[in-house]
């Protein structure tokens, strides 16, 4: 069993009194394939960069308890819905683990934040955060999830939760599932011919009629450019 | 130590393979010269699957493209950055110049913004209007024929605007603006700030059979695998090799010095191979330096000999001086009109589709030189940092800041594509007191003495940055937007970035007619050794509020033709 599956199974077993994993609708995108550690050199790495990646993958920073806490929090931040999977379905804990080694300045705020959360949880419920009921977890999270309303004594927790929220959002929306969820349509060959008409209308905008003749005529994009002596395009 | 000699004698040794070196390689090789190109970094071809980053998805990187390794993120095609392990540079106390180097075939042209602006007639003669700095010994009319040729060879989109100091060229047609750019145009118009189509070197139309046509992935910073944007490797060096040029490419080869004979003329270069860490000597009848303004200055300063005791070309003591970079500062904005957008592919070209050229008269302002404004934004591909603090935008539209769950998912979609930004890029004044020199105490891992920088902005630049921010706020306000963050005040130099940050290093080997006050003549030939030329931005006398690359290319072409003429006349 690799580490990712370990994380996933730990997470599922920790949910006894908490979240119920929803059954998947047929068209639901509910998990992602994350490139395994030994196949990361698919994105144009120099030899030094490939080695750095490999070294980081060989290290483990978070303890199992910490990664379990990160998993629970990330799924509170982004639970699954009818169409898409949750943060852990998008392997967010793996991403947070990697980033803590790639950008070590994340290590202390995350480790300390998890300890802070457990301290609060122990005070309130006499239990570590991950062992609390879902209702107890949500009740605690509600005290740190809203920066403008949180009590001053919760400031450290607010900071930690904001960091977790940021990493969870980035970790999720940079996966294939998250990109589909977001609706990003690019990163593929296409021919840009301006803002769609219905969008222009919706925003009460139009292309200046004087500018229209200046723009590229996409039907002639493959015709080799030629100019007259004054620099006027004639092809 | 034994220096390994190559028996081959080259007509010309070109140091560096970026815009200047690439152009010289093409023109000189096509004229039949035997050329050695010596590049500090590895071979690079953006089409090579092992090096390609174009069209990769964020999840193909374990850090999702974060900038932990490459300063502009994992997919950016620059090998190097602000700091390179084993190759330090130092600073004089109290100053900060940030030096960006990219060591690879094509250099920084693989990732640059492709903003391709000609200098205008006034840009060559600024001293005439404000008494600051110096005029160039040449004028727009000297460079125009070469700008024209560069336009036709390499391709740049834009429009004829008949503006007095923004010369038109042989343009390809520009792409239509994106939605946030239409908002910018509308806002700018209200406050009297002009906007015209951008001028970028990407092929919106076929230019020849060797290069593809832009397919609008918006990823020019990754270097284009179909060669539809300008990089020196793909557009100059590869075609020159393909057309039968006699070019020997030495990669991973760090030039330490130019060697000279007893008369002081160059005889070649000594380089250190990164592969075996040994020294090698190359023999050449001429040396063309194109290693970047600061690297070329460093090579000259490290090339000391009895004839050139202060370094080659440095009898004037001017090498390294007058270093200057563009000024830069930015502001981002939230545009409530752009929330809850319908999503569609608006990647476009890898840069802005419209921009604001300088439009005011400095005689009526409290700073001497102008700036242009670049525009960015849109529904881009998520990468590391996406979603950070997204719910904070709610404070501008009466929503709840913070939270989790479905509410947060809705926030992400609500605010996707609703932020944009503007960046000012301006002209600074070249000063003798801003310079790079050799640090006598520090060598790099190749044993080569390194550069030490000394650079201070003055009120000329600070007040310009202040004006930029005033313009930004007025345009953002007119767009119905909310400027984000605080407007930087005097205590923060009005947001002026450190010198070097705009990566337009110029001026270290400036041209002039007087050998006592300049390093090269108006053909970029050393006053002190007539078989050494400099074709990077070192010879720039002043910067203009334009990006330097198009002028580097035009001037390198001009110098290359001069070299060919002089060889025919047997003057070199």
């Amino acid at each position: 069993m690799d580490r990712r599956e370990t994380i996933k199974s730990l997470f599922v077993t920790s949910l006894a009194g908490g979240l119920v994993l929803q059954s998947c609708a047929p068209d639901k995108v509910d998990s992602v394939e994350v490139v395994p550690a030994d196949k990361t050199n698919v994105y144009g790495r120099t030899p030094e960069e490939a080695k750095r990646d490999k070294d980081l993958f060989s290290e483990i920073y978070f303890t199992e308890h910490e990664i379990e806490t990160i998993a629970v929090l990330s799924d509170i931040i982004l639970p699954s819905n009818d169409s898409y999977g949750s943060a852990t379905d998008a392997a967010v804990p793996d991403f947070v683990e990697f980033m803590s080694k790639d950008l070590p300045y994340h290590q202390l705020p995350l480790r300390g934040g998890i300890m802070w959360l457990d301290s609060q949880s122990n005070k309130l419920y006499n239990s570590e955060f991950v062992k609390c009921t879902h209702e107890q977890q949500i009740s605690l999270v509600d005290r740190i999830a809203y920066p403008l309303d949180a009590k001053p004594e919760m400031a450290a927790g607010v900071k930690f939760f904001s960091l977790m929220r940021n990493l969870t959002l980035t970790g999720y929306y940079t996966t294939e599932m998250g990109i589909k969820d977001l609706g990003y349509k690019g990163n593929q060959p296409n021919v840009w011919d301006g803002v769609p008409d219905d969008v222009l209308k919706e925003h009460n905008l139009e292309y200046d009629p004087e500018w229209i003749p200046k723009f590229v005529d996409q039907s002639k994009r493959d015709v080799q450019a030629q100019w007259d002596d004054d620099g006027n395009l004639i092809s | 130590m034994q220096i390994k000699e190559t028996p081959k004698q080259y007509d010309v040794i070109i140091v560096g393979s970026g815009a200047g070196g690439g152009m010289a390689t093409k023109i000189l090789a096509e004229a039949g010269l035997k050329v050695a190109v010596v590049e500090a970094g590895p071979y690079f071809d953006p089409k090579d699957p092992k090096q390609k980053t174009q069209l990769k998805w964020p999840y193909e990187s374990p850090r999702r493209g974060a900038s932990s390794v490459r300063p502009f993120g994992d997919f950016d095609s620059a090998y190097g950055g602000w700091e390179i392990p084993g190759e330090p540079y130092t600073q004089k106390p109290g100053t900060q110049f940030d030096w960006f180097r990219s060591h690879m075939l094509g250099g920084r042209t693989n990732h640059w913004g492709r903003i391709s602006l000609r200098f205008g007639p006034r840009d060559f003669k600024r001293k005439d209007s404000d008494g600051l700095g110096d005029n160039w010994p040449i004028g727009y009319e000297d460079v125009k024929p070469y700008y024209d040729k560069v336009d036709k060879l390499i391709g740049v989109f834009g429009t004829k605007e008949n503006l007095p100091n923004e010369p038109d060229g042989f343009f390809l047609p520009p792409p239509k603006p994106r939605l946030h750019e239409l908002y910018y145009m509308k806002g700018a118009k209200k406050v009297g700030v002009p906007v015209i189509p951008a001028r970028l070197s990407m092929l919106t139309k076929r230019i020849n059979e060797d290069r593809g046509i832009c397919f609008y992935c918006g990823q020019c910073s990754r270097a284009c695998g179909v060669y539809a944007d300008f990089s020196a490797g793909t557009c100059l060096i590869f075609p020159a090799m393909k057309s039968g040029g006699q070019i020997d490419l030495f990669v991973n080869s760090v030039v330490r010095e130019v060697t000279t004979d007893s008369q002081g003329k160059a005889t070649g270069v000594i380089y250190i191979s990164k592969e075996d860490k040994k020294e090698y000597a190359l023999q050449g009848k001429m040396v063309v330096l194109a290693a970047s303004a600061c690297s070329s200055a460093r090579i000259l300063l490290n090339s000391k000999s009895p004839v050139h005791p202060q370094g080659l070309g440095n009898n004037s003591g001017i090498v390294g001086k007058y270093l200057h970079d563009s000024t830069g500062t930015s502001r981002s904005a939230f545009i409530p009109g752009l929330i809850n957008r319908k999503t569609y592919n608006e990647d476009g070209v890898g840069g802005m589709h419209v921009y604001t050229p300088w439009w005011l008269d400095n005689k009526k302002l409290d700073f001497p030189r102008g700036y242009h404004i670049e525009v960015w934004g849109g529904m881009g591909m998520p990468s590391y940092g996406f979603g950070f603090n997204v719910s904070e935008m709610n404070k501008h539209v009466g929503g709840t800041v913070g939270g989790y769950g479905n509410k947060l998912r809705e926030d992400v979609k609500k605010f996707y594509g609703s932020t944009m930004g503007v960046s000012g890029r301006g002209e600074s004044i070249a000063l003798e007191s801003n310079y790079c020199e050799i640090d006598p105490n520090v060598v790099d891992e190749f044993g080569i003495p390194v550069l030490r920088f000394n650079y201070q902005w003055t009120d000329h630049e600070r007040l310009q940055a202040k004006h930029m921010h005033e313009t930004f706020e007025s345009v953002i306000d007119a767009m119905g937007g909310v400027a984000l963050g605080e407007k930087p005040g005097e205590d923060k130099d009005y947001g002026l970035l450190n010198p070097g940050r705009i990566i337009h290093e110029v001026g270290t080997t400036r041209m002039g007619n007087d050998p006592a006050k300049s390093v090269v003549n108006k053909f970029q030939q050393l006053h002190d050794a007539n078989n050494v030329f400099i074709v990077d931005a070192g010879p720039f006398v002043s910067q203009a509020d334009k990006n330097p690359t198009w002028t580097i290319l035009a001037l390198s072409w001009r110098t290359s033709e001069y070299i060919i003429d002089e060889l025919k006349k047997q003057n070199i």
Side-chain angles (χ1 to χ4, degrees):
Chain A
M1 186 182 274
D2 73 12
R3 182 168 157 86
R4 186 180 159 225
E5 285 172 55
T6 314
I7 292 166
K8 187 84 191 169
S9 68
L10 271 170
F11 178 55
V12 171
T13 53
S14 75
L15 285 173
L19 279 169
V20 177
L21 285 178
Q22 294 170 356
S23 62
C24 303
D27 58 346
K28 184 170 161 176
V29 186
D30 65 353
S31 69
V32 293
E33 282 307 309
V34 171
V35 181
D38 57 346
K39 287 189 185 154
T40 54
N41 195 16
V42 294
Y43 64 113
R45 293 308 82 188
T46 65
E48 297 78 20
E49 290 168 338
K51 181 180 181 301
R52 185 177 184 278
D53 280 3
K54 210 177 158 201
D55 290 348
L56 292 186
F57 273 115
S58 72
E59 298 164 15
I60 291 179
Y61 177 67
F62 290 115
T63 64
E64 287 190 355
H65 170 69
E66 287 167 339
I67 209 77
E68 200 182 337
T69 309
I70 287 167
V72 171
L73 279 170
S74 67
D75 271 1
I76 288 172
I77 292 164
L78 279 182
S80 64
N81 65 10
D82 291 343
S83 308
Y84 297 98
S86 68
T88 51
D89 292 328
V92 164
D94 289 352
F95 169 69
V96 176
E97 164 72 25
F98 185 86
M99 291 315 297
S100 73
K101 294 168 303 205
D102 191 53
L103 295 173
Y105 60 74
H106 284 320
Q107 290 180 357
L108 182 62
L110 288 169
R111 175 158 285 165
I114 290 164
M115 283 298 289
W116 181 93
L117 193 68
D118 279 336
S119 307
Q120 292 295 315
S121 174
N122 276 324
K123 269 185 216 164
L124 289 167
Y125 310 117
N126 198 28
S127 165
E128 284 178 337
F129 182 75
V130 292
K131 298 205 174 87
C132 291
T133 67
H134 182 61
E135 288 70 26
Q136 287 170 334
Q137 288 169 344
I138 290 296
S139 171
L140 178 46
V141 162
D142 278 338
R143 297 171 204 220
I144 56 176
Y146 301 95
L148 304 181
D149 307 321
K151 292 187 177 146
E153 62 268 28
M154 293 287 118
V158 168
K159 210 163 176 203
F160 167 61
F161 192 77
S162 294
L163 174 59
M164 270 307 303
R165 181 167 46 218
N166 284 347
L167 291 173
T168 302
L169 288 176
T170 275
Y172 175 83
Y173 284 103
T174 51
T175 62
E176 198 174 354
M177 174 165 68
I179 287 168
K180 203 170 267 184
D181 187 354
L182 181 68
Y184 170 69
K185 304 279 200 307
N187 198 31
Q188 55 184 309
N190 73 107
V191 175
W192 166 258
D193 201 21
V195 179
D197 286 341
D198 60 322
V199 175
L200 285 174
K201 279 198 193 88
E202 189 193 326
H203 291 267
N204 291 316
L205 288 166
E206 59 173 1
Y207 286 113
D208 185 337
E210 279 181 35
W211 278 41
I212 294 282
K214 298 180 177 184
F215 295 129
V216 57
D217 176 352
Q218 295 293 14
S219 71
K220 288 159 75 179
R221 57 193 252 103
D222 203 17
V223 179
Q224 187 154 333
Q226 286 180 307
W227 299 268
D228 66 17
D229 291 343
D230 294 325
N232 298 303
L233 189 72
I234 52 170
S235 64
Chain B
M1 181 184 285
Q2 190 192 356
I3 297 174
K4 297 183 182 178
E5 305 245 355
T6 314
K8 199 166 169 181
Q9 166 98 356
Y10 291 95
D11 292 321
V12 58
I13 297 168
I14 298 172
V15 182
S17 62
M23 181 60 86
T25 302
K26 179 171 164 65
I27 302 303
L28 296 175
E30 287 181 354
L33 272 59
K34 271 186 283 181
V35 179
V37 178
V38 192
E39 164 55 49
Y43 188 80
F44 177 74
D45 182 350
K47 195 168 66 182
D48 178 352
K50 288 196 204 69
Q51 297 181 307
K52 183 176 174 165
T53 55
Q54 191 183 28
L55 298 180
K56 297 293 179 191
W57 291 97
Y59 45 83
E60 293 178 80
S61 148
R63 65 186 65 71
R64 313 295 160 85
S67 55
S68 358
V69 181
R70 300 188 188 181
F72 294 97
D74 267 340
F75 303 110
D76 183 76
S77 284
Y79 296 168
W82 308 105
E83 305 292 337
I84 297 179
E87 300 181 60
Y89 54 92
T90 62
Q91 314 275 353
K92 277 277 185 75
T95 77
Q96 182 71 45
F97 183 86
D98 296 328
W99 190 24
F100 192 98
R101 292 165 288 176
S102 178
H103 291 165
M104 63 201 297
L105 189 72
R108 292 176 293 199
T109 65
N110 292 302
H111 88 138
W112 71 303
R114 272 78 177 185
I115 300 173
S116 303
L117 305 173
R118 294 179 179 210
F119 284 19
R122 294 173 193 166
D123 293 323
F124 292 96
K125 307 288 173 191
R126 283 291 176 194
K127 189 179 184 181
D128 287 348
S129 57
D130 59 26
L132 297 168
D134 273 298
N135 289 333
W136 292 56
I138 55 175
Y140 178 69
E141 64 286 354
D142 296 304
V143 192
K144 181 187 182 296
Y146 297 95
Y147 280 134
D148 288 352
K149 292 204 277 191
V150 171
D151 286 359
K152 290 176 187 172
L153 175 72
I154 290 173
V156 50
F157 68 73
T159 48
K160 287 185 106 172
E161 300 290 335
N162 299 308
L163 297 168
N165 197 46
E166 316 296 324
D168 299 324
F170 290 78
F171 290 127
L172 300 169
K176 289 178 183 165
R178 306 175 180 92
L179 188 60
H180 68 274
E181 291 166 334
L182 291 172
Y183 269 77
Y184 175 77
M185 289 165 69
K186 202 173 165 183
K189 196 174 177 184
K190 279 188 200 162
V191 293
V193 172
V195 184
I196 63 172
R199 296 173 171 184
L200 311 184
S201 49
M202 297 138 191
L203 303 186
T204 53
K205 195 171 169 68
R206 182 168 292 286
I207 197 159
N208 60 39
E209 290 305 315
D210 292 333
R211 295 176 56 196
I213 310 165
C214 178
F215 55 76
Y216 301 98
C217 70
Q219 297 171 15
C220 298
S221 64
R222 303 183 183 197
C224 187
V226 303
Y227 308 165
D229 59 12
F230 169 69
S231 296
T234 62
C235 302
L236 296 171
I237 295 175
F238 296 168
M241 294 175 102
K242 202 174 149 188
S243 65
Q246 303 177 73
I247 302 168
D248 285 346
L249 212 50
F250 295 80
V251 295
N252 292 316
S253 301
V254 184
V255 170
R256 184 184 68 208
E257 63 179 279
V258 177
T259 51
T260 50
D261 62 18
S262 55
Q263 275 77 50
K265 284 191 74 162
T267 55
V269 301
I270 292 175
Y271 72 86
I272 290 135
S273 164
K274 283 181 175 167
E275 276 142 33
D276 61 11
K277 296 271 167 47
K278 301 281 186 217
E279 290 186 19
Y280 292 84
L282 285 181
Q283 310 297 324
K285 292 176 194 159
M286 274 181 299
V287 173
V288 172
L289 294 177
S292 80
C294 294
S295 287
S296 290
R298 179 185 177 201
I299 291 167
L300 290 174
L301 293 170
N302 277 327
S303 303
K304 288 183 181 168
S305 64
V307 189
H308 305 287
Q310 300 190 83
L312 178 59
N314 197 30
N315 287 345
S316 60
I318 297 292
V319 172
K321 295 189 173 143
Y322 297 98
L323 167 64
H324 57 300
D325 183 29
S326 298
T327 58
T329 188
S330 301
R331 194 81 189 265
S332 57
F334 165 59
I335 313 294
L338 290 175
I339 62 171
N340 291 317
R341 291 183 63 177
K342 179 186 169 183
T343 61
Y344 53 90
N345 182 352
E346 64 168 4
D347 285 347
V349 302
M352 63 202 182
H353 292 187
V354 298
Y355 85 114
T356 293
W358 179 236
W359 70 106
L360 295 171
D361 179 0
N362 290 92
K363 291 201 169 69
K364 296 171 186 162
L365 297 163
D366 61 359
F367 57 96
R369 305 281 166 92
Y371 60 87
H372 71 256
I373 303 173
E374 303 174 4
V375 188
W376 37 276
M379 297 182 288
M381 179 157 49
S383 65
Y384 183 81
F386 180 88
F388 277 25
N389 306 322
V390 64
S391 82
E392 272 186 31
M393 296 298 155
N394 275 308
K395 67 186 172 202
H396 304 297
V397 289
T400 303
V401 174
Y404 53 87
N406 288 334
K407 179 258 178 202
L408 191 61
R409 259 195 160 101
E410 283 160 23
D411 280 350
V412 169
K413 288 189 185 179
K414 179 160 120 187
F415 297 115
Y416 181 44
S418 67
T419 49
M420 54 84 67
V422 280
S423 299
R425 298 286 182 260
E427 178 173 4
S428 62
I429 305 293
L431 298 173
E432 191 173 358
S433 56
N434 286 336
Y435 57 84
C436 57
E437 62 184 351
I438 297 298
D439 185 330
N441 304 312
V442 182
V443 295
D444 66 12
E445 67 172 304
F446 309 109
I448 307 173
V450 307
L451 285 180
R452 178 167 64 191
F453 290 92
N454 182 78
Y455 199 124
Q456 304 278 1
W457 290 126
T458 70
D459 280 346
H460 294 320
E461 291 80 30
R462 292 188 195 101
L463 292 171
Q464 185 196 60
K466 180 172 185 258
H467 192 273
M468 288 180 190
H469 277 284
E470 284 157 7
T471 306
F472 298 161
E473 288 204 342
S474 72
V475 175
I476 290 166
D477 197 44
M479 291 168 70
V482 180
L484 298 173
E486 292 291 310
K487 180 160 137 183
E490 194 182 357
D491 58 322
K492 292 189 171 125
D493 277 358
Y494 304 103
L496 195 55
L497 295 172
N498 279 344
R501 277 280 147 183
I502 310 305
I503 320 183
H504 294 165
E505 57 180 88
V506 310
T508 50
T509 54
R510 69 178 192 158
M511 65 163 83
N513 294 327
D514 182 354
K517 291 180 177 170
S518 57
V519 177
V520 295
N521 67 17
K522 64 182 178 180
F523 292 105
Q524 300 175 206
Q525 180 177 31
L526 282 191
H527 290 303
D528 303 346
N530 73 351
N531 65 341
V532 179
F533 296 82
I534 304 178
V535 297
D536 50 37
F540 283 33
V541 178
S542 61
Q543 165 88 276
D545 56 73
K546 319 282 168 63
N547 308 53
T549 304
W550 225 239
T551 303
I552 295 173
L553 289 165
L555 291 177
S556 178
W557 196 328
R558 180 172 174 270
T559 293
S560 299
E561 285 193 353
Y562 175 78
I563 289 172
I564 294 162
D565 277 356
E566 289 292 285
L567 281 174
K568 278 183 195 153
K569 293 179 196 159
Q570 298 188 315
N571 285 344
I572 305 177

